[in-house]
Amino acid sequence: MEETRVVQGTWDISTFKFRIEGVGLRRMLDGMKEGKLVGTRCHKCGTVYLPGPFYCRKCHIEINEPTEVSDHGEIMTYTIGYADVRGNPLDEPRIAPVVKLDGCDSWIMGVLQGVKPEDVHVGMRVKVQWAEERTGSLQDMAYYVPE
Amino acid sequence: MRNVGIVGIGYTPVFVSKRKDVNISEMISEAVEAAFSNTGLGPKDIDAVVFGNMHTFEGVNLPHLWAADYIASLGKPLMRIATGGTTGMSAFHAGYYHIASGLHDVVMVVTYEKQSEGDSQVGLMGIITPEVMAMIAAGIDVTGGSGMGAIGGGSAGGISFQASSYLHHSGAGIEHIDEQAALERRNAAKNPYAHLKDPDATAEKVAQTPLVSWPIRFGHICPTSDGATVAILASEKAAARITEKAAWVHAVANCASDATTANLIESQITDPAEHLPAIIASRQAYERAGIADPKKEIDYVEIYNGFAHQALMYLEKIGMCEVGEAHKLQEAGELEMSGRMPVNASGGVVSTNAIGTSAMNRVTECALQILGQAGEHQVEKDVHKAVAHGWGGMMQYVTITVLGDKPKKD
């Protein structure tokens, strides 16, 4: 008996829409064109999110106050990848930190360059390396580098 | 609320990578038959059935209805529960509610996974599809090469951030994760229902397996298993008719937080190693169970650890030791079957993972320890009270069950 059979089909993924995409993420992407990181602040508890959701995750109220956050921050946790998503070994291990930017309460992932894997650590200070040509895409935050 | 006891447990004869000799319903029926033969009960004795497995992991949308006549549910109340990795314990909790509420007296909880018939990565992808689509629309590189697309593969990629943060905050090292994996694979060698068994496992051997995503090695990761588990629950009155000795539910609790790790679209605000849901749910459960000091009052622990570090991390989160203490207990041998705080004598999820059963097996394994029926993997100390932990959802959902050797007093 055959181990696997292939069945043809289609899946329309263009219908996946997030309401959040239209508010906080749009604000963030527009700011990135100018090299700024614009999040959303909760007017009640002061929590700052990047990208900003349309409601405060702690107070459960609608929020819509643009707040600029720093492009410098601190590594909260990280991993080091040794293979790509298809399992092929990478030439150089890839460091992926989760960073808490100054003035922001949420964490944001990225790729860290300019550091050897053995030197990366939680608490390390890093800054965003912006793409030379910014287009209002998440790729504008090219990677993190040590501060 | 009425007291509820576990009066019968049934496993498939084996938990392995591929059960090619049976289909899903046939495999499930093996565990049902085992539970019936262990209790002397039959289909006529069951008032209602609760069913649990992962969402569409095998590409079967309504397995509980396909299997309806294999699980003695014809003409009876039947519901399916799916909450992710925690599914097995959520199904168990639903069975508990059925009886504690007074609605039913004897309820059968059926859980299974036949991972060989599906693709777990496809199943996991289905959990995060909307977010990934929004991220792609915003220009993210999902291959992880640049920008914010630092997405690891499946849950191993996501969980590496948790493990990394756990190591930082606890002071443990990767060698403690190696040892935990080895300890549990050694335990698994004594459990006939475990999948990956290695009586000679050592931290050194685990350390030779390749790093998948720092600090997670191949040797730290659970297998994909085929298997089914059934538990029969009963009210105090019904239990007295069925058995002389039951394991009694003293408390159930569950809790969710925001979807941690890689939750770019909605902003990640939680440290994946902080795991507030585990802290909240366990404290609620202890309060409901009348347990003031779990360190002293709980004799045995089953932790859901799809990844080896989680046994250590969750021992701290559910209050079985202080933060930064779990790896020291491990060094002192206290987590072994002969230790003062034995954990996962079954081999844990890191040795066996038929997902739908995995959180359920944490409960049934606690019950077997309380009943003294764990066989070769029975721990040395007497077990009067035990706590079972389930983990899953989008990494951020926890279930807790506290069991005791006597019905809970009001």
Side-chain angles (χ1 to χ4, degrees), chain A residues 3 13 18 20 49-51 57 77-80 82 94 96 98 106-111 122 137-139 141-142, chain B residues 18 20 130 138-141 144 146-148 150 160-161 164-165 168 211 213-214 258 262 264-268 271:
Chain A
E3 182 82 0
I13 54 175
F18 258 63
I20 294 157
Y49 302 90
L50 178 77
R57 307 274 291 282
T77 184
Y78 66 95
T79 187
I80 302 166
Y82 304 90
R94 182 188 289 155
V98 187
S106 64
W107 303 5
I108 200 156
M109 297 173 83
V111 173
V122 174
S137 144
L138 290 175
Q139 297 297 320
M141 265 174 90
Chain B
K18 290 183 183 181
K20 289 187 170 183
I140 208 159
D141 172 10
S146 64
M148 280 167 282
S160 55
F161 292 105
S164 190
S165 180
H168 173 75
L211 278 162
S213 191
W214 169 269
D258 62 317
L264 172 68
I265 302 302
E266 291 165 313
S267 294
Q268 175 182 336
D271 181 343

Side-chain angles (χ1 to χ4, degrees), chain B residues 104-365:
Chain B
H104 301 290
D105 285 312
V106 182
V107 173
M108 187 163 72
V109 185
V110 179
T111 61
Y112 92 94
E113 213 69 63
K114 200 160 190 287
Q115 294 215 61
S116 67
E117 290 198 15
D119 185 319
S120 303
Q121 289 297 355
V122 172
L124 289 167
M125 183 64 197
I127 296 170
I128 58 163
T129 303
E131 298 204 325
V132 169
M133 293 312 153
M135 287 157 87
I136 291 170
I140 208 159
D141 172 10
V142 286
T143 63
S146 64
M148 280 167 282
I151 299 170
S155 52
I159 213 65
S160 55
F161 292 105
Q162 180 188 72
S164 190
S165 180
Y166 159 71
L167 292 184
H168 173 75
H169 290 290
S170 68
I174 189 170
E175 64 276 13
H176 294 100
I177 310 180
D178 296 338
E179 173 53 27
Q180 194 59 32
L183 186 161
E184 298 197 26
R185 298 270 165 84
R186 290 195 299 270
N187 287 350
K190 298 186 172 177
N191 177 3
Y193 303 102
H195 180 175
L196 295 181
K197 310 172 188 204
D198 183 357
D200 306 315
T202 61
E204 290 71 28
K205 267 168 80 175
V206 174
Q208 285 165 12
T209 62
L211 278 162
V212 173
S213 191
W214 169 269
I216 300 293
R217 296 188 202 283
F218 183 74
H220 300 161
I221 302 177
C222 59
T224 56
S225 315
D226 289 358
T229 302
V230 166
I232 299 177
L233 315 186
S235 64
E236 240 179 304
K237 208 172 157 188
R241 286 199 309 268
I242 298 165
T243 180
E244 286 174 9
K245 205 178 172 195
W248 296 93
V249 179
H250 284 210
V252 300
N254 70 78
C255 185
S257 73
D258 62 317
T260 55
T261 299
N263 189 9
L264 172 68
I265 302 302
E266 291 165 313
S267 294
Q268 175 182 336
I269 55 171
T270 307
D271 181 343
E274 179 188 346
H275 238 281
L276 205 56
I279 297 169
I280 293 171
S282 59
R283 299 318 184 268
Q284 278 181 353
Y286 298 146
E287 196 187 332
R288 287 169 189 166
I291 289 172
D293 185 353
K295 296 186 197 73
K296 286 184 186 152
E297 296 175 57
I298 301 274
D299 304 305
Y300 180 72
V301 189
E302 277 281 340
I303 300 276
Y304 189 117
N305 59 338
F307 305 91
H309 73 280
Q310 292 179 311
L312 300 169
M313 190 190 85
Y314 281 117
L315 277 176
E316 298 178 0
K317 300 300 156 193
I318 66 168
M320 292 305 297
C321 63
E322 300 302 319
V323 170
E325 201 187 349
H327 66 285
K328 292 173 187 161
L329 290 168
Q330 183 206 62
E331 286 174 357
E334 304 293 9
L335 308 184
E336 312 255 358
M337 281 161 58
S338 56
R340 277 188 300 168
M341 195 199 289
V343 59
N344 293 358
S346 60
V349 180
V350 79
S351 303
T352 313
N353 193 19
I355 306 182
T357 71
S358 290
M360 166 80 130
N361 286 8
R362 310 288 57 80
V363 180
T364 54
E365 286 296 325

